[in-house]
Amino acid sequence: MTLGQDVHLLQSIPLFADFPPEQLRLIAFSAEPLKLPPDTTLFRQGSEADTGYVLVSGAVAFFTETNGEVEEIAIAGPGALIGELALLCPTMRPTSAKTVEPTELLAVERRLLRRVLEEYPEMAERLRLALSNRLATMNSDLARTRDRLLAIDGSEPDAAG
C-alpha cells in the first residue's frame, strides 16, 4: 500500500478518526508493515501487549485455549484495529490470534502513538474525549441490555444499578 492508502485506512478506524492527516502520515510511515502467510500466530493469550495491529488485508482469527480446549471467538477482516487497548496502556492479550489467510497488517507500537500524542497534545485531548464518549455509550448500552435481560428474567434491578 502507499502512504496515502495507509492514511486513508487509519482515518477509517474510530481510534484514529479525529487525527489530522499530518499525524496519521507520521503513524503510517512509522508503523511496521507485516505480510504473513496463513496459520501464522500473531500473539498468544496472556502475553504482554504493547502493539496494535491495523488489518490491511486478509483475516485474523481470535481464540482462547483452556485446558487444551480451543474455542474460536471471532474473525477480523480488513479495516479492523486489533489490540486497541495495547496502544493506550500496558495490558495482557485476552486471546490468541493467528492469520486465516495471507494477511497484511500495520504494526503500531504504543511508544509510537505516545510520541505522536506528546508532540501534538491537542490530539491527546481529542483522544481522551473520544474514548470518554465511547465508554459512556458502552455503559449506556450495557445498562439497557441488563434491563432487557432482567425484564425477561422477571427480576428487578438492584439499587446499585
Side-chain angles (χ1 to χ4, degrees), residues 10 19-20 37 49 103 105 115 118 131 139 141 159:
L10 290 171
F19 282 54
T103 300
L105 304 135
R115 189 177 91 219
E118 286 172 352
L131 291 172
N139 282 338
D141 292 346

Side-chain angles (χ1 to χ4, degrees), residues 63-78:
F63 57 96
T64 58
E65 301 173 79
T66 308
N67 299 326
E69 297 287 322
V70 176
E71 179 183 357
E72 188 172 291
I73 304 298
I75 295 180

